Amino acid sequence: MTFDPSIRIGVLGGGQLGRMMIQSAMNLNLEIASMDPDPNAPCKSLASHFVNGDITSYDEVLAFGEAFDVITVEIENVNVEALEELERRGKKVFPQPRVLRTIKDKGLQKQFYLDHGIPTSDFVFIDQKEELKNHTDLLPAANKLRTEGYDGRGVQIIKTEADLNKGFEAPSILEKFVDYHKEISVIVARNEKGDMETFPVVELEYHPEQNLVEFLFSPSELEEELRIKARDLAKKVISEFDMVGLLAVEMFATKDGEILVNECAPRTHNSGHHTIEGNITSQFEQHIRAILNLPLGDTSVKGSAVMINLLGHPDYSGQAKYEGIEEAMAHSGMHLHLYGKKLTKPFRKMGHATLVGDDLQALKDKAREFKESIKIIA
Amino acid sequence: MTFDPSIRIGVLGGGQLGRMMIQSAMNLNLEIASMDPDPNAPCKSLASHFVNGDITSYDEVLAFGEAFDVITVEIENVNVEALEELERRGKKVFPQPRVLRTIKDKGLQKQFYLDHGIPTSDFVFIDQKEELKNHTDLLPAANKLRTEGYDGRGVQIIKTEADLNKGFEAPSILEKFVDYHKEISVIVARNEKGDMETFPVVELEYHPEQNLVEFLFSPSELEEELRIKARDLAKKVISEFDMVGLLAVEMFATKDGEILVNECAPRTHNSGHHTIEGNITSQFEQHIRAILNLPLGDTSVKGSAVMINLLGHPDYSGQAKYEGIEEAMAHSGMHLHLYGKKLTKPFRKMGHATLVGDDLQALKDKAREFKESIKIIA
């Protein structure tokens, strides 16, 4: 079979996920165009063609998509109706618009899990804040906006009745806290032939205030039985969605040995950044393989890896400056990825660093040191 | 110390070596501009700024270089006088123009080895073909043009007196064949602080007719003592040149245990492509580290690696098509790098593939299979 690198690929969203996807595609001569509302988006200088536009606009997405053979996304918050129209016109759109429609609404997403026998935490639908007081049995809980939550935004923690006033005055879900042992993630890929491959389970540690992943540990040290269960569950989720592309499934490993799906994202994901150096195939290459119906790559780990998100320092906003980079570069096995964002602001994702090696505990200790010594200021 | 990714870097030459350098620099937010006479050079769409121009023209190189803080090359055949002028004007030019001047003339390069006690094969200077007959004691030998030889061009093999008429009617050297055990290469980096790091020794296997590297094996299976000798020799060469940047030193390991320098290239090199996946730091990242006076990276191998050059099929010229790519992608540990060249021609370097794994012999066998099954046709 002849491989044709001239296939035209367009991505909605021009952030770091798109950027790393484009970087990965370069090795196959694949050129990828990108659309983003930020004229200085991380993909701007790397995309074969960059359109500064509104990815939530029906007309703009339709006009952008018409130029490509395959259309994909690096963020869920896009105009799904335009993608459905592109699909009707014979374009390949992966993930499929119907999957995006379900996942981008956290209410529909949770209902999907219930309807398909996918274990998840207890929840109720909330239309206005007022209703929260009828569900105090679920506390402590998270009140999550059904749409447009992203990177820690759109989530309120409701620990006790005293917090009920923090709830959203908009369609949301109230989700009972899970008494979990570990937060884990499994990324699974599926191509049009139906081939599926899961990446090994990773463990996530969140920033205590920002609800952002702070550290990622690969591979997970959970018992093998639970790791198999988690990977099987990820396959079940992507199969039930009948989805083509990459799906990141965030899960809880509970203290009583259950695996519950927390939420998922039908795209490359922060919980797969370590795969660039830590696994034989990266999540970005796997995504490209999946949407082009190529053979999926071997996801095995090469060793242990710890990923650190490099966030903008809480006290600075403005032209980004980087401290501690040379010291980090002097450390063997440290791989830096800066995302090309000119401006920093508090907790903005500016880059990540992946430490690879043999001893996961040593890597964890080192990662905590680098988390302190690398500073993104202005 | 604060890392400033806004430093302006310009590269003369826009081929695959520049392309992979730019790919590597992206992870540090570094933007690299490129100049090449081919308007569709592999760097065209990846460079932050691409100038279609003549890199051997004094005026054009000077005008290009003025816009940057650091100027580097991915090919020796550039206008050295313009680089010297840029250096006088306070630009950082690495490798230094005086090093380029010596190395791009194979005669001066050989003389440099003699003058600095660097072991190399016997040779004589030749001004016109007529003189060859006075040096039949050196046969079998290679007659090499002093300048502008590249990728197998500018070399004539003179096995016996019957071949003397094949010699060049231009300044050249006649170099006695070395009765070698293995052809090897060591890439060494040096920054302005004088830090030096060598990559582990690799072995090269050349295409029998094209004088192009066909396979590369990493790490070398030479005895440790010889490997140390080779790495020390590479350090000696870059130190004697007092050079900043990356230097690829091609050598012969002779049957009687000597290491002789064959020739060197003051830039990233085909004998370092495997380092992208096979070593902790790639040659491309190491080059960036060296020219920006950053700490040099750990060069250790992660495992064994075999690199295959993917050359245009001898029977085809035209718009490139790729056969056998999907089959290659289905193989774990196979990493493809296509260089973005639209047109193929016989033996043109169109890409490379690196196979990584634990068992070098198994990788070698597999590499020979892929060499047959991946075809670049038109």
Side-chain angles (χ1 to χ4, degrees):
Chain A
M1 192 167 164
T2 305
F3 175 71
D4 181 7
S6 69
I7 188 164
R8 299 165 307 165
I9 307 170
V11 183
L12 296 177
Q16 63 266 18
L17 298 171
R19 181 177 166 102
M20 291 184 272
M21 189 193 307
I22 293 172
Q23 284 182 270
S24 165
M26 285 171 185
N27 290 332
L28 288 173
N29 274 8
L30 295 165
E31 292 191 348
I32 299 187
S34 149
M35 184 187 199
D36 196 276
D38 176 358
N40 294 310
C43 286
K44 183 175 197 255
S45 62
L46 275 65
S48 62
H49 176 59
F50 179 77
V51 175
N52 180 211
D54 181 357
I55 56 177
T56 65
S57 149
Y58 180 85
D59 291 337
E60 294 187 42
V61 169
L62 192 63
F64 175 77
E66 270 297 355
F68 304 103
D69 306 307
V70 179
I71 297 128
T72 187
V73 302
E74 58 115 56
I75 186 168
E76 293 90 322
N77 192 20
V78 296
N79 190 288
V80 174
E81 292 73 19
L83 292 177
E84 284 169 336
E85 178 57 25
L86 288 165
E87 202 175 41
R88 271 191 293 273
R89 295 185 186 180
K91 305 289 185 187
K92 303 264 188 195
V93 184
F94 300 130
Q96 296 92 332
R98 60 179 166 71
V99 178
L100 279 167
R101 186 181 286 285
T102 301
I103 289 178
K104 68 187 280 197
D105 180 327
K106 289 197 164 88
L108 294 181
Q109 191 187 138
K110 289 289 276 190
Q111 190 63 48
F112 184 90
Y113 299 148
L114 288 191
D115 294 346
H116 293 83
I118 294 162
T120 190
S121 57
D122 293 340
F123 73 102
V124 290
F125 288 106
I126 300 289
D127 279 326
Q128 39 196 350
K129 197 195 285 189
E130 182 62 16
E131 299 166 26
L132 288 171
K133 69 174 188 308
N134 306 329
H135 303 286
T136 53
D137 56 311
L138 288 177
L139 301 191
N143 186 207
K144 296 178 175 177
L145 282 180
R146 287 183 58 166
T147 55
E148 302 185 19
Y150 182 64
D151 267 0
R153 283 168 277 154
V155 176
Q156 274 297 353
I157 305 306
I158 315 283
K159 282 191 185 156
T160 67
E161 291 186 40
D163 297 327
L164 288 177
N165 64 325
K166 292 185 190 165
F168 293 109
E169 198 62 83
S172 64
I173 57 170
L174 185 71
E175 196 176 34
K176 187 179 169 64
F177 266 12
V178 173
D179 189 19
Y180 63 81
H181 171 47
K182 285 176 188 289
E183 293 195 79
I184 61 174
S185 174
V186 174
I187 293 177
V188 56
R190 187 161 172 273
N191 63 16
E192 281 185 274
K193 290 188 277 278
D195 300 334
M196 274 190 285
E197 287 293 343
T198 56
F199 281 86
V201 182
V202 299
E203 298 178 14
L204 306 171
E205 190 174 304
Y206 281 79
H207 186 283
E209 291 150 44
Q210 292 299 315
N211 196 28
L212 283 171
V213 172
E214 192 162 25
F215 296 104
L216 172 147
F217 310 119
S218 168
S220 167
E221 294 170 308
L222 276 182
E223 309 87 282
E224 190 187 7
E225 187 194 343
L226 290 176
R227 285 185 277 121
I228 293 170
K229 200 168 173 176
R231 292 175 82 165
D232 286 346
L233 186 52
K235 282 191 196 170
K236 177 174 168 68
V237 178
I238 201 167
S239 300
E240 296 286 1
F241 275 125
D242 190 15
M243 183 193 136
V244 170
L246 206 71
L247 185 75
V249 187
E250 293 186 86
M251 311 181 211
F252 297 114
T254 69
K255 288 181 177 159
D256 51 3
E258 285 305 300
I259 304 285
L260 302 179
V261 171
N262 178 14
E263 58 185 47
C264 65
R267 52 167 170 82
T268 57
H269 191 258
N270 201 176
S271 65
H273 289 358
H274 68 288
T275 57
I276 298 174
E277 292 90 9
N279 297 61
I280 289 178
T281 306
S282 81
Q283 67 162 342
F284 301 101
E285 182 179 327
Q286 195 77 314
H287 180 75
I288 298 287
R289 287 171 179 250
I291 66 173
L292 298 186
N293 206 22
L294 292 166
L296 298 177
D298 184 346
T299 60
S300 308
V301 298
K302 294 182 188 170
S304 297
V306 175
M307 192 278 304
I308 315 163
N309 271 329
L310 301 176
L311 306 177
H313 191 286
D315 301 335
Y316 295 86
S317 288
Q319 197 80 21
K321 287 181 195 154
Y322 299 82
E323 287 190 350
I325 296 294
E326 289 199 24
E327 296 76 1
M329 288 181 78
H331 185 77
S332 170
M334 163 60 102
H335 298 276
L336 287 165
H337 295 262
L338 305 181
Y339 297 153
K341 298 178 183 176
K342 305 273 181 241
L343 301 176
T344 183
K345 54 189 180 186
F347 300 109
R348 188 176 194 198
K349 283 183 183 170
M350 299 298 288
H352 77 264
T354 301
L355 274 163
V356 293
D358 294 324
D359 177 349
L360 186 57
Q361 189 54 51
L363 294 177
K364 285 182 180 183
D365 296 342
K366 209 72 205 170
R368 288 183 205 281
E369 285 176 31
F370 282 119
K371 183 79 193 177
E372 297 305 313
S373 62
I374 301 175
K375 284 199 180 74
I376 302 169
I377 59 174
Chain B
M1 188 164 168
T2 305
F3 175 72
D4 182 7
S6 70
I7 188 165
R8 298 166 308 167
I9 307 171
V11 183
L12 296 177
Q16 62 266 17
L17 298 171
R19 181 179 165 101
M20 290 185 272
M21 188 194 307
I22 293 172
Q23 284 182 270
S24 165
M26 286 172 185
N27 290 332
L28 288 173
N29 274 7
L30 295 165
E31 292 193 341
I32 299 187
S34 150
M35 184 187 200
D36 197 275
D38 176 358
N40 295 310
C43 286
K44 183 174 198 253
S45 63
L46 276 63
S48 62
H49 176 60
F50 179 79
V51 175
N52 181 210
D54 180 358
I55 56 178
T56 65
S57 150
Y58 180 85
D59 291 337
E60 293 187 43
V61 169
L62 192 63
F64 174 77
E66 271 296 354
F68 305 102
D69 306 307
V70 179
I71 297 128
T72 188
V73 303
E74 59 114 54
I75 186 168
E76 293 90 323
N77 192 20
V78 297
N79 190 288
V80 173
E81 293 73 20
L83 292 177
E84 284 168 337
E85 177 58 25
L86 288 165
E87 203 175 40
R88 272 191 293 274
R89 294 185 187 182
K91 305 289 185 184
K92 304 263 189 196
V93 184
F94 300 130
Q96 295 92 333
R98 60 178 165 72
V99 179
L100 278 168
R101 186 180 286 286
T102 302
I103 289 178
K104 68 187 279 196
D105 180 326
K106 289 198 164 89
L108 295 181
Q109 191 188 138
K110 288 290 275 190
Q111 190 61 49
F112 184 90
Y113 300 147
L114 288 191
D115 294 347
H116 293 83
I118 294 161
T120 189
S121 58
D122 294 339
F123 75 101
V124 289
F125 288 108
I126 301 288
D127 279 325
Q128 37 197 351
K129 198 195 286 191
E130 183 62 15
E131 300 166 27
L132 287 172
K133 68 174 188 306
N134 306 328
H135 302 287
T136 52
D137 55 311
L138 288 176
L139 303 190
N143 186 207
K144 296 179 176 177
L145 282 179
R146 286 182 59 167
T147 55
E148 303 187 18
Y150 183 64
D151 267 1
R153 282 169 276 154
V155 177
Q156 273 298 353
I157 306 306
I158 316 282
K159 283 190 184 156
T160 67
E161 292 187 38
D163 297 328
L164 288 177
N165 65 324
K166 291 186 190 164
F168 294 109
E169 198 63 82
S172 63
I173 57 171
L174 184 71
E175 197 177 33
K176 188 179 168 64
F177 266 12
V178 173
D179 189 20
Y180 61 82
H181 171 46
K182 285 175 189 286
E183 292 195 77
I184 61 175
S185 174
V186 173
I187 292 177
V188 57
R190 187 162 171 272
N191 64 18
E192 281 184 274
K193 290 188 279 277
D195 301 335
M196 272 190 287
E197 288 291 343
T198 57
F199 281 86
V201 182
V202 298
E203 298 178 15
L204 305 172
E205 190 175 304
Y206 281 79
H207 185 284
E209 290 150 44
Q210 293 299 315
N211 196 28
L212 284 170
V213 172
E214 192 161 27
F215 296 105
L216 172 148
F217 309 120
S218 169
S220 168
E221 294 170 308
L222 276 182
E223 310 85 282
E224 190 186 8
E225 188 194 341
L226 290 177
R227 285 185 277 122
I228 292 170
K229 199 167 174 177
R231 292 174 81 164
D232 286 346
L233 186 53
K235 283 191 196 171
K236 177 174 168 68
V237 178
I238 201 167
S239 300
E240 296 288 1
F241 275 125
D242 191 16
M243 182 193 136
V244 170
L246 205 71
L247 185 74
V249 187
E250 293 185 86
M251 309 180 211
F252 298 114
T254 69
K255 288 182 178 160
D256 50 2
E258 286 306 300
I259 304 286
L260 302 179
V261 170
N262 178 16
E263 57 185 47
C264 65
R267 52 166 170 82
T268 56
H269 192 257
N270 201 176
S271 66
H273 289 357
H274 68 288
T275 58
I276 298 173
E277 292 89 9
N279 297 61
I280 290 178
T281 306
S282 81
Q283 67 162 342
F284 301 100
E285 181 179 326
Q286 195 78 314
H287 179 76
I288 299 288
R289 287 172 180 251
I291 66 173
L292 298 186
N293 206 21
L294 293 166
L296 298 177
D298 183 346
T299 60
S300 310
V301 299
K302 294 181 186 169
S304 298
V306 175
M307 191 278 304
I308 314 163
N309 270 330
L310 301 177
L311 307 177
H313 191 286
D315 301 335
Y316 295 87
S317 289
Q319 196 81 22
K321 288 182 195 152
Y322 300 83
E323 287 191 349
I325 296 295
E326 290 200 23
E327 295 75 3
M329 289 182 79
H331 185 76
S332 171
M334 164 58 102
H335 298 276
L336 287 165
H337 294 263
L338 305 181
Y339 298 153
K341 297 179 183 176
K342 304 273 183 242
L343 301 177
T344 184
K345 54 189 180 187
F347 300 109
R348 187 175 194 198
K349 284 184 184 171
M350 298 298 289
H352 76 264
T354 301
L355 273 164
V356 295
D358 294 324
D359 177 349
L360 186 57
Q361 187 53 53
L363 294 176
K364 286 183 181 184
D365 295 342
K366 209 71 205 170
R368 290 185 202 278
E369 285 176 30
F370 282 119
K371 184 78 192 178
E372 295 306 312
S373 62
I374 301 176
K375 284 198 181 73
I376 303 169
I377 59 173

